[in-house]
Amino acid sequence: MIKDIQLRITLQEEAGQKDILRVKSAKALHLDLAEISAVKVLRKSIDARKPAIVFNYKVAVYINQKPEESSQYQFDYKDVSKAKPIHIIGFGPAGMYAALRCIELGFKPIVLERGKNVQERRRDLRFINQFHEVNEDSNYCFGEGGAGTYSDGKLYTRSLKRGDVRRIFENLVYHGATSQILIDAHPHIGTNKLPKVVQNIRETILKYGGEVHFQTRVTDFTITNNQITAIQLQNGEEMAVNRVILATGHSARDIFHLLHNKAIAIEAKSFAMGVRVEHPQHIIDSIQYHCNGPRHEVLPAAAYSLVQQVNNRGVYSFCMCPGGFIVPAATANGEVVVNGMSPSKRNNEFANSGIVVEINADKDLNKYEHFGPLKALEYQKDLERLAFTSGGRSQVAPAQRLTDFVEGRLSNDLNPTSYQPGIKSVPLHSLLPKLIGKSLRKGFEAFGQKMKGYYTAEANIIGVESRTSSPVSIPRNEYLEHPQIEGLFPCGEGGGYAGGIISAAMDGERCAEAAARNL
């Protein structure tokens, strides 16, 4: 017999008592301990709202019965080396999972990725951090695994109606991710472990007859009678195509310009921009865990999620990275963009998070109307160029103490930071557009009230956090196909249909199924 029950375990019990889940399960079910064959954790979360911290478990209790060992999810990969092809542009989460799903459906994925594989990407990331040189095809956004590979690996999603979330998680475990992601309420793989998972996915695609081509940038499409029939590559090669899944990510600006120049419909999309705030991790721990000294050893680095309405405009935390570090995420020289990530142990001394302001593409960008559907993209580019010039025309980022930013004064000095290229004291309170700056200042004041100790001179804000999502959307119909162009399937974050690793992966699978229909 198997029974699912909820258990609440105190911090002291979690830390000190062996076999606590079996003991608690036996007590809850009025059983002898010997009757319980095993206890399988289904879900785990931490309730730290009160000083008495509690671990919440959902468990399956096996009573006089051995637990099953295999997963209910099986992935039916088959040899597709001679099957009909589906071309996939981009090899981030959407492109990877589109390729895997194509193989399950019996079609050959041919993946075209502008960047390099995960091993070769590391050299270009080192050049950004140490020498401030941006390779426009190989950086924190472009390359094998896309932005997801080197962007923390948080797997939390609210997109529960877009597909089978559990299936994506099980597939990540199949490809080498820890099974802990199946349990944690806010699962996370870690920047240091994601590259191996991504490499394993690529090896599966190749093993079953798919193709993955790196350093292969798509530069043009051939459209014949409103159908995509060929794609041109940067090296001059042309490839005949029938179905194309466009999964190029939220930073592939050349693709947005290409579509616009060819009169293929795209639309300006609302998004969010702001800064990244960085605190010493011990400050966030002390707030969230109600502790004066170091957090208890069984507790992970504390995270937070904040939101505030400022004059009917959302100001909120984005991609919060406990025990993490800030990285330069520019995709071209002449711009500064910051992002955050955490290693699997989340053991760095800093906590960072994007704090961003909603930008309404229909109401807020009047001065950019002449750019048409690219107006939000151009607004985004202007803010990134501002960060570049104010930081000293390198990857050094403009920064300010949090309290100085809110109170409107230049910082005489700055706190230590995890941002490797370095930071420079800049009056961001006066440089940022009023729309963003004023909203951020009010938002930070409110956050300081919600989290006592958050508003502190020990925190820096660093600019700019501008790649939260795509500033452009690419329309598609009920069959996930572009309404103008037969055979073109906009997909993932770049199309405006995802907001993270899991939602992008689910959209990749859906687009593969759509592209395979009637092929």
Side-chain angles (χ1 to χ4, degrees), residues 116-142:
K116 301 177 183 178
N117 65 40
V118 286
Q119 294 87 353
E120 294 181 16
R121 263 179 99 177
R122 290 193 178 101
R123 177 183 178 275
D124 297 311
L125 301 186
R126 182 170 65 85
F127 267 64
I128 298 174
N129 280 292
Q130 294 184 7
F131 307 113
H132 304 208
E133 296 177 11
V134 181
N135 181 327
E136 297 189 3
D137 287 323
S138 178
N139 45 61
Y140 279 99
C141 290
F142 299 142

Side-chain angles (χ1 to χ4, degrees), residues 359-374:
I359 307 296
N360 187 307
D362 295 325
K363 299 178 181 179
D364 296 331
L365 305 177
N366 293 335
K367 293 181 180 179
Y368 291 79
E369 286 295 338
H370 59 288
F371 291 109
L374 299 174

